[in-house]
Amino acid sequence: EVVMTQSPATLSVSPGERATLSCRASQSVSSNLAWYQQKPGQAPRLLIYGASTRATGIPPTFSGSGSGTEFTLTISSLQSEDFAVYYCQQYNNWPLTFGGGTKVEIK
Amino acid sequence: EVQLLESGGGLVQPGGSLRLSCAASGFTFSTCAMTWVRQAPGKGLEWVSVISGSGGSTFYADSVKGRFTISRDISKNTLYLQMNSLRAEDTAVYYCAKYLDCVWGNYRHYFDDWGQGTLVTVSS
């Protein structure tokens, strides 16, 4: 099983600042990585797939990068609606696996 | 508009069974690959199972293999998850979701529309 490790567990950021979230895979997953956003009481929302392709309707303030074992989700300028938990998911190998999540909170 | 509505959750005793349903609308369910993902209270996401658009391919997490069965009824536009031999660690909100563009294939296993979830509690 590919273990996905996200860091940090919690990120405190001021509105308007940049947030950088990391996701590391225990073995190469090529570019087969997705990012999701989840707000309290809501279902997850697909942000990024293919490590860097934004899903429909996702603003360009969200960007993904990386390949192999190291991936990054960057939110260029945090808006109030961006404070949430973010998960990475690899789909290179079965079973599909998610990271433990990074909570982005208001500083 | 895509809609996914889960139902069937509730309280069940350890060792018991439950069948979850996910009613789909707003897209061509009959050819759409689907998945179940769960989230234990206060925890992260855990993938459970997937089924291809044809229903001919299914995959399961090791934690549920042999106990859970994913299936679909095209005539009812409904996805199911039959859960047997339930354990306390199966307690979670269960989400159904569809594959992006409904496409099943290598390296396409990510999900763009999700239901709101149904809570399963396994406890005596």
Side-chain angles (χ1 to χ4, degrees):
Chain A
E1 172 175 316
V2 179
V3 177
M4 306 301 293
T5 303
Q6 291 187 242
S7 61
T10 303
L11 187 61
S12 299
V13 185
S14 299
E17 288 189 341
R18 180 188 197 93
T20 302
L21 289 65
S22 295
C23 174
R24 174 176 292 179
S26 61
Q27 64 188 75
S28 176
V29 297
S30 187
S31 295
N32 297 312
L33 184 106
W35 289 95
Y36 298 84
Q37 176 193 68
Q38 187 180 33
K39 298 179 181 179
Q42 296 186 17
R45 173 193 183 196
L46 178 67
L47 298 175
I48 301 281
Y49 60 94
S52 61
T53 301
R54 279 188 301 276
T56 301
I58 302 304
T61 52
F62 290 89
S63 62
S65 64
S67 66
T69 61
E70 300 283 343
F71 300 89
T72 300
L73 175 70
T74 301
I75 311 170
S76 60
S77 177
L78 273 158
Q79 307 301 307
S80 57
E81 61 267 27
D82 300 331
F83 292 95
V85 180
Y86 293 84
Y87 295 95
C88 60
Q89 175 228 329
Q90 68 81 22
Y91 49 90
N92 194 68
N93 297 84
W94 299 103
L96 307 180
T97 47
F98 288 89
T102 291
K103 180 180 180 181
V104 178
E105 63 175 26
I106 299 175
K107 186 174 182 180
Chain B
E1 179 192 3
V2 172
Q3 290 197 1
L4 297 168
L5 184 61
E6 302 94 338
S7 61
L11 176 64
V12 61
Q13 292 189 339
S17 297
L18 213 54
R19 187 177 79 160
L20 305 183
S21 301
C22 171
S25 61
F27 63 101
T28 307
F29 176 79
S30 60
T31 57
C32 194
M34 302 288 294
T35 191
W36 288 96
V37 173
R38 68 185 181 183
Q39 186 169 36
K43 302 297 184 181
L45 301 173
E46 181 187 13
W47 169 73
V48 174
S49 182
V50 297
I51 186 168
S52 64
S54 69
S57 295
T58 57
F59 290 87
Y60 297 90
D62 287 345
S63 58
V64 306
K65 200 174 296 183
R67 300 188 299 123
F68 290 12
T69 303
I70 191 171
S71 64
R72 60 198 303 156
D73 185 333
I74 293 172
S75 68
K76 295 182 178 179
N77 272 12
T78 301
L79 176 73
Y80 299 104
L81 186 67
Q82 177 66 44
M83 305 186 296
N84 300 329
S85 303
L86 282 161
R87 306 166 179 166
E89 54 265 36
D90 296 319
T91 294
V93 172
Y94 285 73
Y95 296 100
C96 67
K98 62 175 275 292
Y99 273 54
L100 178 66
D101 298 330
C102 287
V103 174
W104 171 270
N106 285 340
Y107 312 125
R108 296 297 298 264
H109 309 289
Y110 40 87
F111 321 115
D112 65 339
D113 287 288
W114 297 62
Q116 284 305 300
T118 186
L119 176 63
V120 172
T121 303
V122 184
S123 174
S124 55

